[in-house]
DNA sequence: TTGAAAGCGCTAACAA
DNA sequence: TTGTTAGCGCTTTCAA
């Protein structure tokens, strides 16, 4: 597979430049206290030998791997795509590399990934945990002893948090739907042990209360963020004797399931049923009719998360845990109309 | 950020177990020539101290990082999602970790990522390069001197390749469209310097030739795999005095652009124009009408790629470069109909 | 089968 | 400002 001589080491560079190991290291690490003459000699040697530092050896000594672990639910959501793209680009620019992993809705895999991260000595962690309330996961994160950003999860008082205000998001949606005249709105979202689901559920209940409406518990469907769950629950909802007049897909992967179920039921949007979806720009704009969307700017969250993380690992940001909140925007499209009675 | 005592090392384990460093290492690495009594003592010590090996130190000595670099175009295509999900899960199972990076259509970033990989001493590389013909990239890959799998790119005689047969794919599509009566079919795909584009272009031309048709060069639009490119070219195609009666989205990200352009032109599918798309299960099934799809099983490719890679890095697969080919399946849906004259 | 010791490539502490 | 040296945590000789 290979060809020829071994990779040059810093020793070779020092030898070639006729300086000591230490001086070579100082040049490589851009320390200021190096004579110009020496610096040039070392740089020439580096170029001549085609030397690149060995990151493993650097990490061995310096304790830093310049690696940021990023632990998400899965790779399939458009939200992840915007986030990951931005984060990767900003981290690389500073010489850091993201270690990306998804647990694909299997909490056990989350633990495995965390320990793989630990063994590799990541410098920082951005994590969307599968459960806010799992003490074992929290404990494992703590043991990593690196700057951590909880992504759209509950602040724990110890780590930085960057989260969406889903509560006001659902409030916006409900205000909109109620104004259109809807009284039977269904909410599909994940299980209560993650913050986005919990916030949506609470806001959903509160909106009913504030409007003086009695919430039919059949209309609240929680348990998973997957499209499969959304489809199966939608099928069930649409078969109800008094089916909802609007459905909220409360999760970035859920819209496809909802749309499939509605089509299978032979219903038309928005005539028979109104639909609002969480962030999914492509599908929402492309589907006909276009779908009203509760949009979150995950790219912007990626920028903030990267900057905060870089600040923490580089020591330029200090002090107590920060909590960054992001608002949602309701983008009204064609999928909502007054219900007909 | 931290709390308490430093992580236990193998030295602590050896001390606790009352054995030598070497013995502790042998137990950890599951060597057979260790006395049962010793093994138990070491294992107990490991459990007691909560020891986990330090992957950086292991790599330092062993030369293996158990890390596989995966370099793709970007994170946004559903094809990537299926592939990455499978690969991650199979690699983790064997104690390997994927290092995922996308160059987002900027060839310069590809080089940066490759050198980041090199510095980190990856054990293997799976790469969808931005250009089959860029000698600098090929050279950089070669210098990595690790098992490499070219993903849907031209075999270079040195590395393993796992590729889709786009040629027969386009042939299937053309046969289908010609049989429906289409004579003006447009193909949208990437630039000729990557294999999937090149194969599609060649097969597209050959299909015309074989059918005794003269290909209007205006109908062949190559240059980029992005949705933006697809949209802009589609807009242009649809404004032609004699516009095509069918469009092929020859790239996994391109369908959205095509659909947007068709909608903007006020045309209806398949009455005014037929559409065939490369792999994009969700959108193809969800859009109305459903879209005829030239499907590739990227999950299956992920399985094969992982197994081949693991075989190479673990030394269980030896010998000359392998070339694995995957076929496409044409899934006929509602987006194609005979053209009306 | 086990222990002792060298050393992977580098950074950092110390001395000059 | 530069050189020398110890040692990061581990695997892997080499001897015993």
């Amino acid at each position: 597979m290979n060809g020829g001589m071994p990779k040059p080491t810093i020793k070779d560079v020092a030898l070639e430049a006729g300086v000591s190991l230490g001086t070579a290291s100082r040049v490589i690490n851009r320390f200021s206290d190096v004579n110009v003459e020496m610096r040039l000699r070392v740089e020439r040697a580096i170029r001549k030998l085609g030397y690149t530092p060995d990151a493993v050896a650097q990490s061995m000594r310096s304790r830093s791997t310049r690696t940021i672990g990023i632990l998400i639910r899965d790779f399939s959501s458009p939200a992840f795509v915007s986030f990951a793209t931005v984060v990767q680009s900003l981290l690389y620019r500073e010489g850091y590399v993201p270690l990306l992993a998804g647990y694909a809705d299997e909490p056990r895999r989350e633990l495995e990934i965390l320990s793989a991260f630990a063994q590799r000595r990541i410098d920082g962690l951005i994590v969307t945990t599968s459960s806010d309330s799992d003490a074992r996961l929290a404990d494992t994160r703590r043991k990593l002893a690196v700057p951590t950003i909880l992504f759209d999860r509950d602040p724990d008082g110890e780590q930085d948090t960057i989260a969406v205000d889903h509560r006001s998001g659902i409030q916006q949606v409900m205000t909109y739907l109620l104004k259109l005249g809807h009284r039977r709105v269904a909410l599909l979202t994940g299980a209560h042990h993650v913050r986005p689901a919990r916030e949506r559920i609470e806001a959903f209940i509160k909106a009913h209360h504030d409007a003086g409406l009695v919430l039919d518990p059949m209309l609240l469907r929680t348990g998973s963020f997957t499209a499969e769950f959304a489809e199966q629950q939608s099928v069930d909802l649409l078969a109800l004797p008094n089916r909802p007049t609007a459905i909220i897909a409360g999760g970035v992967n859920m819209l496809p399931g909802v749309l499939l179920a509605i089509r299978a039921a032979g219903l038309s949007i928005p005539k028979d049923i109104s639909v609002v979806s969480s962030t999914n720009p492509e599908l929402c704009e492309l589907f006909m009719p276009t779908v009203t969307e509760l949009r979150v700017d995950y790219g912007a969250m990626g920028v903030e998360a990267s900057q905060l993380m870089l600040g923490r690992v580089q020591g330029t940001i200090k002090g107590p845990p920060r909590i960054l909140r992001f608002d949602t925007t309701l983008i009204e499209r064609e999928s909502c109309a007054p219900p007909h009675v």
Side-chain angles (χ1 to χ4, degrees), chain A:
Chain A
M1 236 12 123
N2 194 333
M5 52 194 183
K7 267 190 67 180
T9 71
I10 195 171
K11 223 165 150 180
D12 301 319
V13 171
L15 210 68
E16 171 75 29
V19 300
S20 75
L21 264 184
T23 303
S25 173
R26 279 174 208 117
V27 172
I28 289 159
N29 293 288
R30 321 207 167 287
F31 281 125
S32 48
D33 54 350
V34 179
N35 186 304
V36 187
E37 147 87 21
M38 294 272 160
R39 152 157 293 134
L40 287 175
R41 264 160 59 193
V42 173
E43 282 167 351
R44 202 177 318 124
I46 288 174
R47 249 173 293 119
K48 180 169 172 198
L49 299 177
Y51 168 81
T52 35
D54 180 323
V56 175
Q58 285 180 316
S59 302
M60 183 76 193
R61 192 68 238 259
S62 69
R63 315 260 57 190
S64 155
T65 56
R66 297 183 87 80
T67 301
I68 306 295
I70 301 183
L71 179 47
I72 54 161
R73 204 161 59 80
D74 73 354
F75 299 117
S76 74
S77 94
F80 153 72
V81 172
S82 324
F83 181 75
T85 304
V86 165
V87 169
Q88 181 197 303
S89 132
L90 294 184
L91 290 187
Y92 262 92
R93 187 185 300 172
E94 294 287 318
Y96 286 78
V97 169
L99 206 55
L100 229 52
Y103 50 82
D105 284 305
E106 291 183 47
R108 217 188 44 220
R109 286 189 54 68
E110 183 177 359
L111 211 54
E112 290 170 16
I113 293 168
L114 281 177
S115 38
F117 282 179
Q119 283 194 24
R120 271 151 220 276
R121 300 207 303 220
I122 53 169
D123 285 0
L125 175 69
I126 300 177
V127 56
T128 296
T129 181
S130 62
S131 170
D132 272 329
S133 50
D134 187 321
R136 183 121 167 265
L137 290 173
D139 211 54
T140 308
R141 287 200 299 273
R142 205 170 300 119
K143 282 219 193 77
L144 276 174
V146 297
T148 299
I149 299 179
L150 302 172
F151 190 89
D152 214 1
R153 292 297 181 262
D154 275 342
D156 65 355
E158 298 176 44
Q159 322 282 178
D160 293 321
T161 305
I162 177 162
V164 175
D165 189 347
H166 297 286
R167 220 181 284 269
S168 85
I170 287 296
Q171 196 183 306
Q172 289 170 73
V173 173
M174 286 303 293
T175 304
Y176 174 63
L177 290 175
L178 290 170
K179 205 169 66 193
L180 282 176
H182 291 274
R183 291 299 174 267
R184 289 186 60 75
V185 177
L187 172 67
L188 269 39
T189 194
H192 66 281
H193 55 250
V194 289
R195 170 199 163 91
R198 204 168 40 243
E199 285 207 346
R200 289 185 185 115
I201 295 167
E202 289 171 10
F204 185 67
I205 293 172
K206 181 162 185 300
H208 281 79
H209 178 84
D210 290 354
L213 283 176
V214 178
L215 168 60
D216 177 354
M218 290 298 279
L219 298 181
L220 181 51
R221 303 292 176 118
T222 70
S224 159
F225 285 122
T226 63
E228 291 69 36
F229 177 79
E231 181 172 3
Q232 139 209 333
Q233 295 300 319
S234 299
V235 166
D236 200 66
L237 282 166
L238 298 176
L240 249 38
N242 52 351
R243 62 163 196 255
T245 59
I247 295 186
I248 306 172
V252 292
N253 291 65
M254 302 182 92
L255 180 60
V258 173
L259 296 178
L260 283 175
I262 292 174
R263 182 193 302 171
L267 298 178
S268 116
I269 305 172
K271 193 166 73 64
D272 303 318
I273 190 152
S274 292
V275 174
V276 179
S277 171
S278 292
T279 309
N280 192 334
E282 191 178 287
L283 188 55
C284 285
E285 284 174 50
L286 224 40
F287 196 76
M288 291 187 286
T290 56
V291 179
T292 294
E293 183 185 8
L294 189 60
R295 175 83 69 93
V296 172
D297 187 345
Y298 286 101
M301 292 183 79
V303 172
E304 294 296 324
S306 311
Q307 285 171 350
L308 178 52
M309 179 52 72
L310 287 168
R312 291 292 189 191
V313 295
Q314 294 172 343
T316 55
I317 296 180
K318 288 177 184 161
R322 300 197 178 178
I323 299 178
L324 273 49
R325 294 192 185 284
F326 277 75
D327 286 326
T328 54
T329 315
L330 184 66
I331 304 175
E332 298 180 18
R333 296 210 182 86
E334 304 160 357
S335 64
C336 296
H340 55 195
V341 265

